[in-house]
């Protein structure tokens, strides 16, 4: 296992905390000039990799990211796919799990690493976590085994953990360890060594990359809570053009069995709405057969999201709706593990 000689990595800076430094005169945070990357991070010279960069203009705080930005990012990677061995995407941490999940679905036959990273403190600050996150992401994106990339998938690297992108959630707003992958093992653990867990990393298939760029944002998320009103549920379900709903339920996929609730969902399903059941819990998944309160949902045609995260559920739905039109095909794809985002027992 080693880093291939003279590999080349494209760093794509989309925005976010990691790319900020303090202006020496005014003290305000401003985006970092990636053309001076080796001056800012001299340690990069020690990695036997050529690093080039592509900067979004303007750079975007990730709270402002939307599907059009995901399409642009996918296009940038597609345009440069043959010229680089891997990609490091610098992105704000707030919606990184959404962008990275979306890209994992959009890329079919991805055979090169696309490693997302960011930081809680800007690169230009003394205690920044960005320096280590950045340098290690480059190492991971460049790592090969017999000239084959070790991580040929979309992943997030943050604070010593490499995670499958569509399994991640941002779970902490201030710890350096900001991300977790509650339902899928780490792809690599990073300490003195980078220990790749090959069994959990997708295998390359050597087919040609295809980007399925369709994304349909006619989806909604409904988080249930005790005491929710009928008005609230009806308002969400009557959203104009709504095609699919991610229903965030309790525990293993349970919800109120009150008549008004079940009947409202049932009516929407018979009008063609797709409802995907995901758990509000951070770990574990949906098993609607376990309790009567889950069974009631299954009986009216709510689909199981298994152990998918809300981030992956939203982006998977946008992706499937954006590229398919037949209801049965949409449902079948939803229940299929397409990029390692769900665990089917
Ligand atoms: N608000 C920032 C963003 O997500 C936070 C960060 O970069 O971590 O763009």
């Amino acid at each position: 296992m080693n880093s291939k000689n003279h590999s080349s990595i494209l760093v794509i800076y989309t925005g976010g905390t990691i790319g900020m430094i303090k202006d020496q005169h005014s003290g305000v945070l401003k985006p970092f000039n990636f053309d001076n990357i080796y001056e800012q991070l001299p340690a990069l010279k020690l990695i036997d990799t050529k690093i080039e960069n592509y900067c979004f203009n303007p750079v975007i705080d990730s709270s402002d990211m939307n599907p059009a930005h995901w399409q642009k990012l996918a296009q940038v990677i597609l345009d440069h796919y043959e010229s680089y061995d891997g990609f490091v995407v610098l992105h704000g941490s707030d919606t990184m799990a959404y962008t990275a999940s979306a890209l994992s679905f959009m890329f079919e036959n991805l055979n090169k690493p696309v490693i997302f990273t960011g930081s809680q403190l800007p690169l230009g600050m003394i205690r920044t976590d960005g320096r280590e996150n950045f340098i290690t992401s480059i190492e991971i994106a460049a790592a090969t085994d017999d000239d084959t990339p070790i991580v040929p998938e979309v992943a997030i690297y943050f604070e010593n953990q490499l995670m499958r992108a569509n399994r991640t959630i941002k779970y902490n707003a201030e710890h350096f360890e900001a991300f977790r992958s509650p339902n899928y093992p780490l792809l690599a653990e990073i300490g003195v060594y980078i220990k790749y867990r090959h069994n959990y990393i997708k295998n390359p298939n050597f087919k040609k990359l295809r980007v399925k760029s369709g994304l349909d944002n006619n989806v909604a998320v409904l988080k249930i809570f005790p005491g929710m009103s009928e008005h609230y549920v009806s308002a969400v379900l009557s959203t104009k053009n709504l095609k699919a709903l991610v229903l965030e339920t309790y525990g293993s996929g349970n919800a109120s069995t009150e008549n008004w609730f079940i009947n409202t969902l049932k009516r929407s399903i018979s009008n063609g709405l797709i409802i995907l059941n995901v758990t509000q819990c951070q770990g574990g998944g949906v098993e609607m057969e376990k309790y009567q309160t889950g069974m009631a949902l299954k009986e009216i045609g709510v689909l199981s999201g298994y152990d998918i995260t809300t981030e992956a559920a939203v982006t998977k739905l946008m992706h499937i709706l954006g590229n398919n039109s037949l209801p049965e095909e949409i449902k079948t794809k939803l229940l299929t593990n397409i990029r390692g985002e769900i665990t089917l027992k």
Side-chain angles (χ1 to χ4, degrees):
M1 203 187 300
N2 62 345
S3 286
K4 189 179 133 188
N5 278 351
H6 311 301
S7 58
S8 59
I9 301 299
L10 184 66
V11 174
I12 305 169
Y13 177 50
T14 64
T17 301
I18 190 167
M20 300 283 164
I21 49 164
K22 259 198 184 145
D23 184 274
Q24 281 178 347
H25 304 293
S26 65
V28 298
L29 289 173
K30 59 169 196 189
F32 176 99
N33 181 357
F34 278 88
D35 294 333
N36 302 334
I37 191 89
Y38 287 103
E39 256 167 59
Q40 295 290 341
L41 290 175
L44 287 177
K45 290 184 198 147
L46 302 173
I47 307 177
D48 195 9
T49 298
K50 188 173 84 186
I51 299 166
E52 291 180 332
N53 63 75
Y54 179 101
C55 235
F56 268 41
N57 185 11
V59 290
I60 303 153
D61 184 292
S62 80
S63 305
D64 279 326
M65 281 273 172
N66 61 42
H69 297 120
W70 303 342
Q71 287 164 331
K72 176 178 169 180
L73 182 55
Q75 189 61 45
V76 170
I77 293 173
L78 179 66
D79 290 346
H80 296 88
Y81 193 70
E82 296 307 328
S83 316
Y84 293 90
D85 297 299
F87 300 84
V88 170
V89 180
L90 304 179
H91 192 289
S93 61
D94 289 346
T95 66
M96 188 187 293
Y98 287 92
T99 304
S101 295
L103 259 73
S104 78
F105 296 120
M106 292 164 82
F107 288 141
E108 197 173 87
N109 305 324
L110 181 70
N111 283 302
K112 292 186 179 181
V114 175
I115 312 297
F116 277 73
T117 196
S119 67
Q120 296 281 58
L121 280 178
L123 259 185
M125 291 184 75
I126 296 177
R127 287 194 313 107
T128 184
D129 50 330
R131 193 178 308 117
E132 195 281 325
N133 284 349
F134 189 175
I135 293 171
T136 305
S137 295
I138 301 272
E139 277 206 60
I140 292 169
T144 55
D145 217 350
D146 281 338
D147 278 348
T148 305
I150 295 179
V151 187
E153 59 173 293
V154 186
I156 289 185
Y157 175 71
F158 224 91
E159 191 65 7
N160 300 329
Q161 307 190 108
L162 183 70
M163 294 157 273
R164 172 164 293 161
N166 56 34
R167 292 296 197 148
T168 58
I169 51 171
K170 180 172 179 183
Y171 93 104
N172 199 297
E174 36 186 84
H175 289 175
F176 284 159
E177 194 203 321
F179 286 86
R180 285 215 169 141
S181 168
N183 287 333
Y184 195 74
L186 297 179
L187 304 183
E189 267 177 296
I190 288 80
V192 172
Y193 302 105
I194 300 183
K195 288 194 182 150
Y196 291 101
R197 295 172 158 182
H198 297 274
N199 292 351
Y200 298 117
I201 300 174
K202 167 195 160 287
N203 288 324
N205 66 7
F206 306 105
K207 291 187 188 159
K208 193 171 159 35
L209 176 70
R210 280 184 62 196
V211 177
K212 294 201 159 172
S213 56
L215 291 166
D216 184 335
N217 70 349
N218 286 306
V219 304
V221 179
L222 179 81
K223 180 170 183 157
I224 62 166
F225 56 92
M228 65 190 160
S229 74
E230 197 169 342
H231 296 301
Y232 159 66
V233 174
S234 304
V236 175
L237 290 175
S238 54
T239 305
K240 199 170 170 212
N241 296 336
L242 188 66
K243 293 184 185 159
L245 179 80
V246 175
L247 185 68
E248 275 199 5
T249 57
Y250 310 127
S252 54
N254 307 312
S256 162
T257 50
E258 281 180 88
N259 281 342
W260 69 263
F261 181 67
I262 296 295
N263 288 338
T264 310
L265 297 187
K266 195 174 171 184
R267 219 173 305 120
S268 297
I269 292 172
S270 54
N271 288 335
L273 186 73
I274 290 167
I275 304 187
L276 189 67
N277 188 351
V278 309
T279 176
Q280 291 177 10
C281 298
Q282 291 205 341
V286 164
E287 286 176 69
M288 287 188 281
E289 307 75 21
K290 216 164 162 182
Y291 294 93
Q292 212 235 315
T293 44
M295 204 57 195
L297 296 177
K298 189 178 167 145
E299 279 167 3
I300 58 166
V302 170
L303 303 175
S304 176
Y306 302 98
D307 59 349
I308 200 165
T309 61
T310 296
E311 291 83 340
V314 167
T315 52
K316 183 176 179 179
L317 275 167
M318 286 187 184
H319 163 74
I320 293 176
L321 292 170
N323 294 287
N324 302 275
S325 49
L326 301 175
E328 279 318 306
E329 201 177 352
I330 291 171
K331 281 188 203 155
T332 309
K333 287 201 171 143
L334 257 184
L335 300 174
T336 306
N337 178 15
I338 52 177
R339 302 278 190 268
E341 73 284 2
I342 49 176
T343 316
L344 297 173
K345 290 184 184 140

